[in-house]
Structure formats: C-alpha cells, structure tokens
C-alpha cells in the first residue's frame, strides 16, 4: 500500500524528541483521539460514554463487546467483555455496580468485575422500543430512562423500578426538534460530508433533523438533558441542552445552545456523546465526530472538549480550538472551560516539498486543514519524505501526523480491531498491519538536519499520531521520512 498523510499538522503544540509517547509524561493531547484495541485502532468511536468507577475512568463506545479504563486519562487498557450489552449502549453506576443496556433491546446487564469484563443479565425492560436509551440515577436513588432517536418523534422519559427495571407509569414526552426556532438543528444539503443514503436520494432543503443521544447530568439541583442534532453526516452535527428542576420535566431550551459546535478546522462535528466530571471536578463533553478512513466512506471517531456550568446555571463548552492541543484532566485548571495550550498551528497552507506524488494527491492537500484531502507518495518505500517550509524559524512544541492508506476501508460490520454489532470484540491476529514507521527531522537551511522523533519499529496504529516534544525546538523546515508502511 502507498503511504498517505491525511494532514501533516505541524503545530506549535507537544511529544518527545527521539522517542515514543510512552517514554515521558504527557501533559497535552489533541483531537481527534486515537482509540486502540491492542495495537490496532478501533473501527468505530461512536456514541461515547465516560464515567468514573472505583477511581478509574471508563470509556464505552457503541457496537463493541468491550471497553477501556484508565487511572489518568492518558494510558488506557482495553477490556474484552463477551457478555457486555454491545450496540448503542448506556452504562450507569447504581448502588455500587455498573448497570448497562442497549438501544432497542429489552435486556439489562450488571457488571460483576469491570476490569475482567464479567457481566451478566439481571433484568428485562417493559419494551424494546427505547431508541438511544440513557439510564440516569438521581441523588435519591431513583432510576430513570431518557430515550429518543428520530426525525419525527420526541424525547421521552420514564421512571423504572430499580429491581425489575419495569416502567413506573407511562413514558412522558419532553420535546421535539424545532427548526423554526433552533437554527443549529437545520439540515442543509451543502453541509453534508458524506451521504448516508449512498446516492439513493438527495437531501431536501428543509428536512427535519434527527434528534438523538439523550444524556442526563445533574448540577446544583438542576437537570441538564443533553441531545444531539442533526446527524453524523453533517459538518454541523452538534449537542444542545434542555434544563429542568425535575428529572421528569418540564424542560426549558437553553438559549446558549448549541453546547458543542465545530464546523472549521481539521476536526469537525461534535455530537452524540456524554458529559462527565473528571477527578478534579471539571466538566468535559466527549463527542462522536465524522471520520473518513482512506476515502473509504462513513465512520466515526472521538473528540473531547472542556465544558463548564456558570454561576447562573448556564452550561457551555469551548470548541473553537477543538483540534488544537489542550491539557489532560489532571492538569486542567479548576473552573471555566479555558483549557487550550497557547500554541498555534504553524503549517497551514505553507510550502511543501516531497519525494514523490501519487496521481492527484498533491502536497498542498496535507496542509489545508481539510480531513477529506490528503497527500500520498508514489510508493510506500523507505525514504519517501514530506517537508514543510514554515517560512521562517518557529518554535515547535508538538507535531501531529495523521496517517492512512489510499483506498483503505473499514466496514461497519467487522474488520481490524475486533468484531462489531453483536459479535465479539477481542482483537486477534491480523493478516494486514497498518502501522506507520517514520522519523522526523528539523533544519534551519534544508541541508543540515536534526532528528527529533524516531519510530522505526512502531507497532501502534495511531491514525492521529500526536507527539509532544520533551523540549521545544526552533526550526524553519520539518521533514517526515518514511521507514516502513
């Protein structure tokens, strides 16, 4: 396969000179997030949920019989869990245990050992019609379910019996989409990144939006019900918030909406996720964002943004620099949503020099901040290189390289990194390795080079390889040299 750089982003941002990320303490990260199962990247990072359980962060995504945990949000361990619900999941802590369910599925599960992936069926819902079910346990211990996944149906809530998981009373409608009053919910055909219809029909100019992905949090006695609109395939995919004094409503639309909205830069879109508190008490919103593997079509990845709730009870997030470096949770300041490092993108639209070019995958494509374009060398041979001229000496704190392969595709039903849907998700031996081995050099004159990153035997499939330099370097030219792909 040929080498493909899907943005060679050289930012004033941070990893180590001459080593891999694991050799130093990392202070910063950049979206999109790399999600791995073993050495391979996960096929899909959809509908993410993060919570703290027994002093570890747990990360759950859709269509996978497994999940991840981490003590620090830096180093993640994947847990294979064959009896875990799978599908589009909801997981909540109730009475000291993790309880999980899946969209449009009657079965309820409880976790007996989170780090070993031991789950068992413990109950059955009254219905299998709960689209994007979200379980919520209130401070008084009562259990509620919020659900909604439709262009025409409302979000609803119902209280559940904690023992039988059956409905207590009838589901209560809460709200519908409202394109006349909520501008960010409008589906515009020109905002489509890739069609979910596969050419079978065109998008209409006034289609009703999808509202989906309910997620409830409580803060200072207020209930914040998060929802996603208008669909993953749109660049304006976002979150909104409704607020209430009661878990059953009525709910009031937040005039600060959308909560998350990201339509520019390399990483776009910010919907269908969850909001959680870190160990310091700060809020974060983790989102499902559109991805495109090797021009292979539709997919999803993850992004995370700092979020806060102000003294007036208004919930807000900071997405403007969402694909720039920010601090890990344990290094974020307490209060507010300002978490970005004061580093700016150095490489955008700068001059590039390359060893070769394959067809129309021109060098400028690697520096235009558009994740749908890329540069590719003519071969995957050792020695192929990409050089960017920053136009003058600059201070470089970090380098992010975004890799893929021409024509690479990850089908939604299976492939590298484990099974999808109802299948097992353990990562077994692969017939094809998609690792990128490379080195990075800097220079002031394009003649004499100093090596700052060396990964000759990399075995991690890092699509968005973010390298925080241990010590910033000053240089005008940055060169990425292929060793093996």
């Amino acid at each position: 396969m040929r080498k493909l750089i899907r943005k060679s982003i050289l930012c004033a941002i941070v990893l180590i000179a001459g080593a891999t990320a694991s050799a130093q303490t990392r202070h910063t990260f950049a979206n999109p997030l790399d999600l791995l199962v073993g050495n391979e990247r996960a096929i899909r990072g959809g509908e993410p949920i993060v919570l703290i359980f027994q002093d570890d962060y747990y990360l759950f995504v859709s269509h996978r019989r497994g999940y991840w945990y981490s003590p620090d949000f830096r180093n993640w361990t994947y847990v294979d869990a064959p009896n875990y619900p799978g599908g589009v999941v909801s997981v909540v802590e109730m009475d000291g245990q993790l309880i999980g369910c899946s969209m449009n599925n009657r079965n309820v599960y409880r976790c007996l050992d989170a780090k070993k992936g031991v789950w068992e069926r413990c109950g059955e819902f009254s219905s299998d019609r709960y689209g994007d079910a979200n379980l919520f346990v209130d401070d008084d211990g009562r259990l509620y379910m919020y659900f909604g996944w439709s262009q025409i149906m409302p979000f609803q809530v119902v209280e559940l019996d904690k023992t039988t998981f059956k409905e207590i009373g009838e589901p209560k409608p809460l709200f519908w989409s409202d394109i006349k009053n909520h501008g960010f919910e409008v589906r515009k055909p020109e905002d489509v990144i890739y069609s979910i219809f596969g050419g079978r029909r065109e998008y209409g100019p006034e289609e009703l939006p999808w509202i989906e992905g309910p997620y409830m949090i409580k803060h200072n006695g207020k209930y914040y019900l998060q929802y996603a609109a208008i669909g993953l395939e749109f660049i304006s995919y976002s979150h909104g918030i409704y607020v209430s004094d009661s878990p059953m409503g009525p709910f009031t639309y937040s005039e600060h909406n959308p909560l998350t909205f990201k339509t520019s830069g390399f990483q776009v879109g910010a919907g269908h996720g969850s909001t959680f508190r870190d160990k310091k008490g700060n809020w974060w919103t983790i989102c499902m964002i559109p991805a495109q593997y090797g021009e292979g079509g539709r997919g999803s990845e993850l992004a995370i943004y700092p979020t806060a709730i102000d003294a007036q009870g208004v919930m807000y997030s900071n997405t403007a620099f969402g694909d720039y470096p920010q601090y890990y949770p344990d290094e974020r300041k307490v209060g507010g949503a300002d978490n970005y490092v004061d580093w700016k993108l150095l490489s955008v639209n700068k001059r590039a020099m390359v060893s070769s070019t394959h067809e129309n995958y021109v060098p400028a494509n690697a520096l235009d901040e558009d994740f749908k374009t890329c540069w590719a060398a003519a071969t995957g041979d050792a020695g192929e290189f990409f050089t960017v001229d920053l136009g003058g000496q600059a201070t470089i704190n970090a380098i992010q390289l975004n890799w893929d392969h021409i024509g690479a595709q990850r089908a939604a039903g299976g492939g590298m990194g484990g099974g999808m849907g109802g299948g097992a998700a353990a990562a077994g031996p692969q017939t094809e390795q998609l690792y990128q081995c490379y080195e990075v050099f800097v220079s002031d004159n394009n003649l004499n080079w100093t090596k700052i990153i060396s990964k000759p035997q990399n075995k991690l499939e890092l699509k968005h390889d973010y390298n925080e330099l241990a010590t910033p370097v000053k240089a005008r030219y940055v060169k990425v040299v292929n060793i093996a792909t």
Side-chain angles (χ1 to χ4, degrees):
M1 284 189 172
R2 298 179 175 88
K3 183 178 71 171
L4 172 69
I5 298 182
R6 206 175 264 291
K7 307 263 142 271
S8 187
I9 298 181
L10 306 170
C11 308
I13 34 188
V14 179
L15 223 204
I16 195 166
T20 63
S22 60
Q24 73 167 71
T25 299
R26 293 163 289 167
H27 303 283
T28 65
F29 67 93
N31 291 320
L33 304 178
D34 276 318
L35 190 59
L36 300 179
V37 180
N39 291 6
E40 309 290 346
R41 77 172 181 243
I43 306 169
R44 175 183 170 94
E47 296 86 15
I49 294 173
V50 174
L51 54 82
I52 297 175
F53 178 66
Q54 297 179 346
D55 205 37
D56 281 307
Y57 294 100
Y58 278 79
L59 169 61
F60 306 88
V61 300
S62 60
H63 301 295
R64 178 167 293 283
R65 300 287 188 177
Y67 46 87
W68 295 258
Y69 70 88
S70 170
D72 55 10
F73 222 85
R74 290 172 173 81
N75 305 295
W76 293 88
T77 299
Y78 181 73
V79 178
D80 182 33
N83 293 326
Y84 168 72
V88 178
V89 298
S90 175
V91 180
V92 68
E93 182 177 356
M94 185 175 74
D95 299 332
Q97 283 190 318
L98 293 179
I99 302 295
C101 66
S102 183
M103 168 181 176
N104 295 336
N105 192 310
R106 287 183 180 270
N107 295 320
V108 186
Y109 299 82
R110 64 177 177 176
C111 182
L112 303 180
D113 191 324
K115 291 186 177 179
K116 291 184 179 179
V118 181
W119 292 69
E120 69 174 10
R121 186 178 178 277
C122 64
E124 184 177 274
F125 291 135
S126 300
S127 170
D128 61 0
R129 300 299 178 94
Y130 302 123
D132 281 356
N134 169 235
L135 298 174
F136 170 72
V137 179
D138 205 350
D139 297 338
D140 60 6
R142 295 167 72 175
L143 177 64
Y144 300 87
M145 177 189 285
Y146 299 86
F147 58 99
W149 182 70
S150 177
Q151 282 183 291
I152 58 174
M153 297 295 289
F155 267 28
Q156 299 181 67
V157 61
V158 65
E159 185 175 358
L160 302 178
D161 184 282
K162 291 178 61 176
T163 302
T164 65
F165 299 99
K166 301 300 184 183
E167 295 179 356
I168 301 176
E170 294 292 325
K172 179 181 178 182
L174 297 177
F175 58 84
W176 284 257
S177 63
D178 185 356
I179 59 176
K180 292 183 178 180
N181 295 297
H182 306 163
F184 82 98
E185 293 182 4
V186 177
R187 290 164 65 101
K188 297 181 178 180
E190 59 267 30
D191 291 337
V192 174
I193 299 173
Y194 34 66
S195 173
I196 65 171
F197 303 120
R200 296 186 299 274
R201 76 165 179 85
E202 296 182 355
Y203 287 83
E206 296 183 356
E207 288 189 1
L208 293 174
W210 280 91
I211 58 170
E212 58 190 27
Y215 195 85
M216 171 62 77
I217 66 167
K218 186 178 182 181
H219 176 73
N220 285 349
K222 296 283 187 181
Y223 297 84
Y224 295 81
L225 181 53
Q226 181 175 321
Y227 73 104
I230 51 183
L232 176 66
E233 72 271 28
F234 289 85
I235 196 172
S236 52
Y237 193 41
S238 310
H239 280 128
I241 293 292
Y242 278 78
V243 186
S244 178
D245 293 322
S246 166
M248 298 292 288
F251 282 86
T252 301
Y253 181 78
S254 172
E255 295 300 330
H256 190 77
N257 282 338
L259 173 68
T260 55
F261 190 79
K262 183 77 165 62
T263 59
S264 62
F266 175 66
Q267 173 259 300
V268 295
H272 206 150
S274 60
T275 294
F276 66 96
R277 262 186 161 149
D278 65 24
K279 294 182 180 181
K280 295 175 71 173
N282 286 314
W283 293 102
W284 298 82
T285 300
I286 187 168
C287 301
M288 176 181 179
I289 63 173
Q292 200 161 349
Y293 298 120
E295 308 160 302
R298 191 166 177 260
S300 61
E301 297 181 289
L302 300 181
I304 182 173
Y305 307 100
T307 297
I309 302 173
D310 68 17
Q312 288 72 45
V314 176
M315 186 175 176
Y316 64 99
S317 190
N318 187 348
T319 63
F321 297 99
D323 39 14
Y324 284 17
Q326 52 182 310
Y327 293 107
Y328 278 106
D330 61 355
E331 300 197 30
R332 177 180 163 187
K333 295 179 181 179
V334 175
D338 182 11
N339 187 50
Y340 295 99
V341 188
D342 190 21
W343 298 334
K344 300 298 184 288
L345 184 62
L346 298 176
S347 61
V348 62
N349 296 327
K350 295 297 173 65
R351 179 171 175 261
M353 297 156 280
V354 300
S355 54
S356 64
T357 296
H358 173 67
E359 296 179 353
N360 61 339
Y361 297 89
V362 297
N365 287 352
L367 304 173
D368 63 1
E369 279 202 287
D370 183 349
F371 81 98
K372 299 186 298 297
T373 67
C374 53
W375 164 76
T379 75
D381 297 342
E384 296 275 21
F385 69 84
F386 183 99
T387 300
V388 60
D389 179 357
L390 300 177
Q393 190 180 74
T395 299
I396 302 167
N397 294 281
I399 294 174
Q400 185 186 45
L401 296 164
N402 296 274
W403 303 98
D404 214 323
H405 295 73
I406 293 174
Q409 296 191 38
R410 298 298 179 86
M416 198 79 69
M420 297 291 286
Q430 306 295 345
T431 58
E432 178 181 40
Q433 294 181 339
L434 300 178
Y435 311 136
Q436 192 70 44
C437 302
Y438 65 92
E439 294 179 323
V440 178
F441 301 82
V442 294
S443 172
D444 283 327
N445 57 14
N446 204 23
L447 296 173
N448 303 310
W449 295 92
T450 299
K451 186 187 301 183
I452 62 169
I453 299 174
S454 182
K455 298 187 177 182
Q457 296 179 333
N458 173 53
K459 292 298 181 184
L460 296 176
E461 192 187 351
L462 302 174
K463 183 181 180 184
H464 307 290
D465 196 354
Y466 177 72
N467 297 266
E468 178 182 337
L469 302 179
T471 303
V473 299
K474 294 183 180 294
R476 173 175 175 173
Y477 299 91
V478 182
K479 179 165 65 174
V480 182
V481 180
N482 184 49
I483 294 177
T485 182

